Amino acid sequence: MTAQKTTTATLPLPPGELLEMYRKMLTIRIFEEIVFDVYRKGLMPGLAHLSDGQEATPVGVCATLHPDDTITSTHRGHGHIIAKGGRVEPMMAEVMGRVTGYCRGKGGEMHIADVSLGILGANGIVGGGIGIAAGSAFTAKREGKGRVSVAFFGDGAINQGIWYETANIAVLWKLPLIYVCENNQYTEFTHFKKLTAGEGLGARARAMGMKSLEVDGNDVLAVYQAAHELVGAARKGKGPATLICNTFRYGGHHVGEPGTGYRSKEEIAEWKAKDPLPRFENILLEHKVISPADIEAMHDEVLTRVQASVTTAQQAPFPDVKEAGEHVFA
Amino acid sequence: MSSRELTFAQAIREALDEELARDERIFVLGEDVGVWGGVFRCTEGLFQKYGPERIIDAPLSEEGYVGLAVGAAMTGMHPVAELMFGDFITLVMDQIVNQAAKMRYMTGGQVEVPITIRATMGGGRSSGGQHSQSWHAWMAHVPGLKVVVPSTPYDAKGLLKTALREPNPVVFFEDKVMYAKVKGPVPEEEYTIPFGKADIKRQGTDVSLIAISRMIHPALAAAEKLAAEGISAEVVDPRTLTPLDEETLIQSVVKTGGAVIIDEGYNHFGTTAELAATIAYGAFDYLDAPIERLGAMDVPIPFSPPLEFATIPNEEAILAAVHRVLDGRRR
Ligand SMILES: Cc1ncc(C[n+]2csc(CCOP(=O)(O)OP(=O)(O)O)c2C)c(N)n1
Ligand SMILES: [Mg+2]
């Protein structure tokens, strides 16, 4: 299969920022591939929910965010965290239950957070981050400094009540809140169309009086441009918006579930042909932002770093059991 | 101390007023809390004083506005979210239990979640099965929540002010029967009451009556009657369930040798069970009779007054329980 080509006459960002976006997409891809390995080798407890295939959405959105903007994430959250600036070392340590992890081993694979980076946590409850994101938008509006709040969620979360309750509030109170739906076509093992009445989230958002855009979620620049418009408006006090990014997860719902029982070979191949990484690479090559040698070097560098994060985490201690009783109350 | 008296609702309102003035981060949101002043008048005049940015009429979306309050708390605000009827806690369980209560823990201590959820409790108003329940035991079951159950205007004000200085989620239960009916002294001078300190509402030596929230009042009335019979009952008010002042409860029973625990929540796996276990463990050698537990009857709260009152502990039930304890001692 050849990668589908995307061409953009003029690039929306300077080369340095585009390279940074590419590096983040690559980091997400490699991080997920290595977590897959870590899981298969029995080096981590619990489950692993990976997002390889979906890299363009978090990176395109987070490229529009400032350090003090906040995000909330989901059970499939590694990509969001890396895109918002999360470091792979404490992420991997958290995945592996070590005390050196972002949450000292108390959160785990589904609950990575770095509040200092505006990452208010990945959430194990589908739709669980939406209320928190609305609250962060409330605070942002109160502060009046143009900060915005982004809620990432999957297609499954659009049928949760919290979406409607906060959307109504956010429109009424003009909160700087961007709802980003990563529609990877499946809610666990069921196609979203079987679970979603009417014309989907865009129509629902418009019914609430909210602007809504829908983009190819595997085209990082398309995601960026749409997010840029919505985030910019929210910063200026225009209120909330919804962005729907259509994408696909390559693996199963979690590692150990191959993702092939309910998705056809053709469907998977069709999406792999739209792989967000080569599509972005082609654009960067075409515009001479990057050379093939640069790509290879960057790949090796990221791979080495993520691999090292596993070794470092393996050598790091598990939390002392006395920590089980800590951090309940401030 | 001045001799000024306030109703329970006025004491709540005054605590909110003082704390809103003290801390810019505090805001109140709930249904009809703003222009209208709250269906129980607990926010009367606050909208006029603090404006729509701080006293906020929320849409009828309990999960939405409590969820928003959790996020606001995590990002530096101190929301006071009101649940007009504590029964609606069922609609916000995820936000309270899965989000507010464990965000600090799950992030390894990265965040504080200073949210105060004010919820009503209590039956006796023929409000039916969905507007009469007392769900404090549910909340106290959850690690990460502080749970407050004041019984007097004085305690309500002092404890609510503490809640609004807490860096943690607090669920603050107000028995709605007390709002207008219970009046008590509240000094003009500022004060707060620490969490985790039980209050001995009446000293006694023969039996300990440990009562939650409004149940303090029938317990005090029963103690008065018992005094006429020559029985000295001690009335203990835990005031907060989390943290729980185990020591004061245990020491009271060490002294008296008998305990009756009175609560408007259900007995089954409820507050009375937890307090009885605490006392049974801590004062085992001093108990002269089995601990008596008086909770709400384990049925949905009925509407018709004779039925409803039969489900809620009262003075007569307390007196009978005390006599069972004292008879047990003589055995
Ligand atoms: C409230 C809730 N219901 C069910 C689950 C179990 N569950 C975890 S992920 C998932 C599917 C979520 O689908 P989607 O939102 O599309 O996210 P995706 O997995 O596709 O990234 C389900 C049902 C859950 N974690 N939370
Ligand atoms: Mg999905």
Side-chain angles (χ1 to χ4, degrees), chain B residues 46-58:
Chain B
L46 297 181
F47 177 88
Q48 289 72 16
K49 186 164 173 186
Y50 296 99
E53 299 271 289
R54 298 190 68 199
I55 312 295
I56 304 171
D57 284 316

Side-chain angles (χ1 to χ4, degrees), chain A:
Chain A
M1 284 277 173
T2 52
Q4 184 180 309
K5 247 188 173 179
T6 314
T7 43
T8 313
T10 53
L11 293 174
L13 285 164
E17 288 179 44
L18 294 169
L19 276 181
E20 191 48 33
M21 287 166 76
Y22 179 69
R23 179 192 299 278
K24 281 181 172 165
M25 286 172 66
L26 195 59
T27 306
I28 297 170
R29 174 68 53 93
I30 290 174
F31 186 84
E32 300 297 50
E33 287 172 354
I34 291 198
V35 172
F36 182 89
D37 242 34
V38 162
Y39 184 91
R40 297 288 286 249
K41 289 184 183 145
L43 298 178
M44 65 171 283
L47 284 180
H49 302 81
L50 306 183
S51 65
D52 44 322
Q54 304 185 184
E55 296 85 352
T57 296
V59 171
V61 170
C62 289
T64 70
L65 300 182
H66 303 160
D68 62 346
D69 294 327
T70 64
I71 65 163
T72 59
S73 172
T74 71
H75 59 287
R76 200 176 304 291
H78 307 163
H80 310 133
I81 291 152
I82 291 170
K84 189 66 173 59
R87 288 172 298 121
V88 296
E89 293 81 8
M91 286 180 71
M92 192 64 82
E94 189 62 33
V95 165
M96 292 169 68
R98 298 312 208 269
V99 72
T100 48
Y102 263 128
C103 308
R104 305 187 66 81
K106 284 205 166 103
E109 189 266 336
M110 271 196 286
H111 300 288
I112 303 176
D114 182 346
V115 175
S116 72
L117 294 173
I119 301 163
L120 299 179
N123 213 296
I125 303 297
V126 171
I130 293 177
I132 293 169
S136 176
F138 179 94
T139 304
K141 176 156 191 203
R142 185 61 54 89
E143 292 164 353
K145 294 181 190 144
R147 183 167 79 67
V148 301
S149 163
V150 170
F152 285 106
F153 53 88
D155 44 283
I158 71 174
N159 295 314
Q160 283 283 20
I162 188 84
W163 193 89
Y164 302 88
E165 296 196 6
T166 57
N168 181 55
I169 291 172
V171 171
L172 282 172
W173 300 352
K174 285 199 162 193
L175 301 183
L177 173 60
I178 313 296
Y179 292 95
V180 179
C181 176
E182 269 176 305
N183 181 358
N184 63 6
Q185 317 302 311
Y186 288 83
T187 300
E188 238 172 34
F189 313 113
T190 307
H191 198 275
F192 84 97
K193 283 196 172 151
K194 275 199 200 164
L195 307 174
T196 310
E199 285 158 45
L201 186 62
R204 297 177 187 186
R206 284 189 290 280
M208 293 274 184
M210 200 191 305
K211 176 149 191 169
S212 164
L213 295 175
E214 183 162 351
V215 295
D216 175 351
N218 280 11
D219 178 345
V220 69
L221 296 181
V223 173
Y224 170 81
Q225 266 154 336
H228 184 72
E229 177 187 337
L230 302 179
V231 166
R235 281 197 207 291
K236 290 197 200 100
K238 300 258 156 70
T242 292
L243 175 60
I244 300 154
C245 302
N246 294 308
T247 183
F248 199 73
R249 67 168 145 77
Y250 286 167
H253 175 55
H254 53 75
V255 183
E257 183 282 293
T260 47
Y262 47 96
R263 307 186 305 181
S264 69
K265 278 200 189 76
E266 293 72 32
E267 187 182 17
I268 296 171
E270 194 186 303
W271 279 97
K272 286 204 169 173
K274 297 187 277 194
D275 190 320
L277 270 128
R279 283 172 74 184
F280 194 31
E281 273 168 30
N282 287 342
I283 296 169
L284 297 178
L285 288 167
E286 207 172 296
H287 287 82
K288 306 217 180 329
V289 173
I290 201 166
S291 71
D294 293 338
I295 291 176
E296 217 180 295
M298 197 187 280
H299 183 277
D300 291 349
E301 182 200 318
V302 172
L303 181 66
T304 307
R305 180 172 173 190
V306 180
Q307 278 170 338
S309 77
V310 177
T311 319
T312 313
Q314 270 183 293
Q315 287 159 359
F318 283 103
D320 191 296
V321 288
K322 80 169 177 21
E323 289 208 22
E326 293 172 3
H327 306 125
V328 178
F329 290 115

